[in-house]
PDB file of all heavy atoms in Angstrom:
ATOM      1  N   TRP A 157      16.774 -27.983  -4.486  1.00 97.00           N
ATOM      2  CA  TRP A 157      17.565 -27.567  -5.653  1.00 97.00           C
ATOM      3  C   TRP A 157      18.133 -26.169  -5.425  1.00 97.00           C
ATOM      4  O   TRP A 157      19.286 -25.899  -5.752  1.00 97.00           O
ATOM      5  CB  TRP A 157      16.739 -27.608  -6.936  1.00 97.00           C
ATOM      6  CG  TRP A 157      16.523 -28.998  -7.435  1.00 97.00           C
ATOM      7  CD1 TRP A 157      15.371 -29.740  -7.361  1.00 97.00           C
ATOM      8  CD2 TRP A 157      17.496 -29.833  -8.074  1.00 97.00           C
ATOM      9  NE1 TRP A 157      15.571 -30.977  -7.913  1.00 97.00           N
ATOM     10  CE2 TRP A 157      16.870 -31.059  -8.358  1.00 97.00           C
ATOM     11  CE3 TRP A 157      18.838 -29.661  -8.412  1.00 97.00           C
ATOM     12  CZ2 TRP A 157      17.542 -32.113  -8.975  1.00 97.00           C
ATOM     13  CZ3 TRP A 157      19.498 -30.704  -9.032  1.00 97.00           C
ATOM     14  CH2 TRP A 157      18.854 -31.912  -9.304  1.00 97.00           C
ATOM     15  N   THR A 158      17.317 -25.299  -4.865  1.00 98.00           N
ATOM     16  CA  THR A 158      17.796 -23.951  -4.551  1.00 98.00           C
ATOM     17  C   THR A 158      18.958 -24.034  -3.577  1.00 98.00           C
ATOM     18  O   THR A 158      19.964 -23.334  -3.742  1.00 98.00           O
ATOM     19  CB  THR A 158      16.660 -23.100  -3.957  1.00 98.00           C
ATOM     20  OG1 THR A 158      15.611 -23.003  -4.922  1.00 98.00           O
ATOM     21  CG2 THR A 158      17.141 -21.723  -3.575  1.00 98.00           C
ATOM     22  N   LEU A 159      18.826 -24.885  -2.590  1.00 98.00           N
ATOM     23  CA  LEU A 159      19.889 -25.043  -1.603  1.00 98.00           C
ATOM     24  C   LEU A 159      21.150 -25.608  -2.248  1.00 98.00           C
ATOM     25  O   LEU A 159      22.248 -25.081  -2.053  1.00 98.00           O
ATOM     26  CB  LEU A 159      19.410 -25.953  -0.473  1.00 98.00           C
ATOM     27  CG  LEU A 159      20.320 -26.110   0.730  1.00 98.00           C
ATOM     28  CD1 LEU A 159      20.634 -24.764   1.365  1.00 98.00           C
ATOM     29  CD2 LEU A 159      19.676 -27.036   1.748  1.00 98.00           C
ATOM     30  N   ALA A 160      20.997 -26.657  -3.052  1.00 98.00           N
ATOM     31  CA  ALA A 160      22.154 -27.334  -3.663  1.00 98.00           C
ATOM     32  C   ALA A 160      22.873 -26.452  -4.680  1.00 98.00           C
ATOM     33  O   ALA A 160      24.100 -26.500  -4.788  1.00 98.00           O
ATOM     34  CB  ALA A 160      21.709 -28.633  -4.317  1.00 98.00           C
ATOM     35  N   ILE A 161      22.131 -25.652  -5.409  1.00 98.00           N
ATOM     36  CA  ILE A 161      22.744 -24.807  -6.450  1.00 98.00           C
ATOM     37  C   ILE A 161      22.975 -23.391  -5.940  1.00 98.00           C
ATOM     38  O   ILE A 161      24.029 -22.792  -6.171  1.00 98.00           O
ATOM     39  CB  ILE A 161      21.862 -24.791  -7.714  1.00 98.00           C
ATOM     40  CG1 ILE A 161      21.789 -26.201  -8.305  1.00 98.00           C
ATOM     41  CG2 ILE A 161      22.390 -23.794  -8.745  1.00 98.00           C
ATOM     42  CD1 ILE A 161      20.722 -26.382  -9.375  1.00 98.00           C
ATOM     43  N   GLY A 162      21.975 -22.860  -5.242  1.00 98.00           N
ATOM     44  CA  GLY A 162      22.034 -21.463  -4.822  1.00 98.00           C
ATOM     45  C   GLY A 162      23.045 -21.169  -3.740  1.00 98.00           C
ATOM     46  O   GLY A 162      23.710 -20.126  -3.774  1.00 98.00           O
ATOM     47  N   LEU A 163      23.182 -22.055  -2.765  1.00 98.00           N
ATOM     48  CA  LEU A 163      24.107 -21.773  -1.672  1.00 98.00           C
ATOM     49  C   LEU A 163      25.567 -21.710  -2.141  1.00 98.00           C
ATOM     50  O   LEU A 163      26.280 -20.770  -1.770  1.00 98.00           O
ATOM     51  CB  LEU A 163      23.929 -22.776  -0.529  1.00 98.00           C
ATOM     52  CG  LEU A 163      24.539 -22.350   0.793  1.00 98.00           C
ATOM     53  CD1 LEU A 163      23.948 -21.036   1.304  1.00 98.00           C
ATOM     54  CD2 LEU A 163      24.359 -23.444   1.831  1.00 98.00           C
ATOM     55  N   PRO A 164      26.038 -22.656  -2.970  1.00 98.00           N
ATOM     56  CA  PRO A 164      27.413 -22.505  -3.468  1.00 98.00           C
ATOM     57  C   PRO A 164      27.603 -21.232  -4.313  1.00 98.00           C
ATOM     58  O   PRO A 164      28.663 -20.595  -4.229  1.00 98.00           O
ATOM     59  CB  PRO A 164      27.632 -23.757  -4.326  1.00 98.00           C
ATOM     60  CG  PRO A 164      26.672 -24.755  -3.768  1.00 98.00           C
ATOM     61  CD  PRO A 164      25.469 -23.960  -3.334  1.00 98.00           C
ATOM     62  N   LEU A 165      26.589 -20.868  -5.073  1.00 98.00           N
ATOM     63  CA  LEU A 165      26.684 -19.620  -5.851  1.00 98.00           C
ATOM     64  C   LEU A 165      26.733 -18.413  -4.912  1.00 98.00           C
ATOM     65  O   LEU A 165      27.492 -17.470  -5.142  1.00 98.00           O
ATOM     66  CB  LEU A 165      25.518 -19.496  -6.826  1.00 98.00           C
ATOM     67  CG  LEU A 165      25.520 -20.478  -7.994  1.00 98.00           C
ATOM     68  CD1 LEU A 165      24.239 -20.356  -8.813  1.00 98.00           C
ATOM     69  CD2 LEU A 165      26.751 -20.271  -8.876  1.00 98.00           C
ATOM     70  N   TYR A 166      25.937 -18.435  -3.877  1.00 98.00           N
ATOM     71  CA  TYR A 166      25.914 -17.347  -2.896  1.00 98.00           C
ATOM     72  C   TYR A 166      27.253 -17.264  -2.158  1.00 98.00           C
ATOM     73  O   TYR A 166      27.694 -16.168  -1.785  1.00 98.00           O
ATOM     74  CB  TYR A 166      24.785 -17.590  -1.893  1.00 98.00           C
ATOM     75  CG  TYR A 166      24.530 -16.422  -0.984  1.00 98.00           C
ATOM     76  CD1 TYR A 166      23.523 -15.508  -1.269  1.00 98.00           C
ATOM     77  CD2 TYR A 166      25.278 -16.227   0.176  1.00 98.00           C
ATOM     78  CE1 TYR A 166      23.273 -14.429  -0.438  1.00 98.00           C
ATOM     79  CE2 TYR A 166      25.039 -15.153   1.005  1.00 98.00           C
ATOM     80  CZ  TYR A 166      24.037 -14.260   0.697  1.00 98.00           C
ATOM     81  OH  TYR A 166      23.804 -13.186   1.525  1.00 98.00           O
ATOM     82  N   ALA A 167      27.875 -18.401  -1.950  1.00 98.00           N
ATOM     83  CA  ALA A 167      29.127 -18.439  -1.196  1.00 98.00           C
ATOM     84  C   ALA A 167      30.248 -17.655  -1.873  1.00 98.00           C
ATOM     85  O   ALA A 167      31.148 -17.166  -1.189  1.00 98.00           O
ATOM     86  CB  ALA A 167      29.561 -19.882  -0.971  1.00 98.00           C
ATOM     87  N   VAL A 168      30.188 -17.496  -3.189  1.00 98.00           N
ATOM     88  CA  VAL A 168      31.258 -16.778  -3.895  1.00 98.00           C
ATOM     89  C   VAL A 168      31.300 -15.302  -3.491  1.00 98.00           C
ATOM     90  O   VAL A 168      32.330 -14.834  -2.988  1.00 98.00           O
ATOM     91  CB  VAL A 168      31.140 -16.963  -5.427  1.00 98.00           C
ATOM     92  CG1 VAL A 168      32.145 -16.085  -6.162  1.00 98.00           C
ATOM     93  CG2 VAL A 168      31.317 -18.430  -5.795  1.00 98.00           C
ATOM     94  N   PRO A 169      30.207 -14.530  -3.670  1.00 98.00           N
ATOM     95  CA  PRO A 169      30.293 -13.131  -3.224  1.00 98.00           C
ATOM     96  C   PRO A 169      30.412 -13.001  -1.703  1.00 98.00           C
ATOM     97  O   PRO A 169      30.986 -12.025  -1.211  1.00 98.00           O
ATOM     98  CB  PRO A 169      29.005 -12.486  -3.751  1.00 98.00           C
ATOM     99  CG  PRO A 169      28.065 -13.606  -3.993  1.00 98.00           C
ATOM    100  CD  PRO A 169      28.921 -14.802  -4.332  1.00 98.00           C
ATOM    101  N   LEU A 170      29.911 -13.984  -0.957  1.00 98.00           N
ATOM    102  CA  LEU A 170      30.053 -13.935   0.491  1.00 98.00           C
ATOM    103  C   LEU A 170      31.520 -14.077   0.896  1.00 98.00           C
ATOM    104  O   LEU A 170      32.006 -13.342   1.761  1.00 98.00           O
ATOM    105  CB  LEU A 170      29.201 -15.018   1.160  1.00 98.00           C
ATOM    106  CG  LEU A 170      29.181 -14.988   2.690  1.00 98.00           C
ATOM    107  CD1 LEU A 170      28.625 -13.670   3.213  1.00 98.00           C
ATOM    108  CD2 LEU A 170      28.372 -16.160   3.221  1.00 98.00           C
ATOM    109  N   ALA A 171      32.241 -14.985   0.252  1.00 98.00           N
ATOM    110  CA  ALA A 171      33.674 -15.141   0.540  1.00 98.00           C
ATOM    111  C   ALA A 171      34.441 -13.880   0.162  1.00 98.00           C
ATOM    112  O   ALA A 171      35.351 -13.452   0.888  1.00 98.00           O
ATOM    113  CB  ALA A 171      34.228 -16.356  -0.204  1.00 98.00           C
ATOM    114  N   ILE A 172      34.073 -13.285  -0.959  1.00 98.00           N
ATOM    115  CA  ILE A 172      34.704 -12.022  -1.369  1.00 98.00           C
ATOM    116  C   ILE A 172      34.435 -10.955  -0.318  1.00 98.00           C
ATOM    117  O   ILE A 172      35.331 -10.204   0.071  1.00 98.00           O
ATOM    118  CB  ILE A 172      34.208 -11.594  -2.763  1.00 98.00           C
ATOM    119  CG1 ILE A 172      34.723 -12.564  -3.822  1.00 98.00           C
ATOM    120  CG2 ILE A 172      34.636 -10.154  -3.081  1.00 98.00           C
ATOM    121  CD1 ILE A 172      34.077 -12.408  -5.190  1.00 98.00           C
TER     122      ILE A 172
END
Side-chain angles (χ1 to χ4, degrees):
W157 285 105
T158 299
L159 187 57
I161 296 168
L163 197 59
L165 291 174
Y166 190 97
V168 173
L170 185 60
I172 292 168

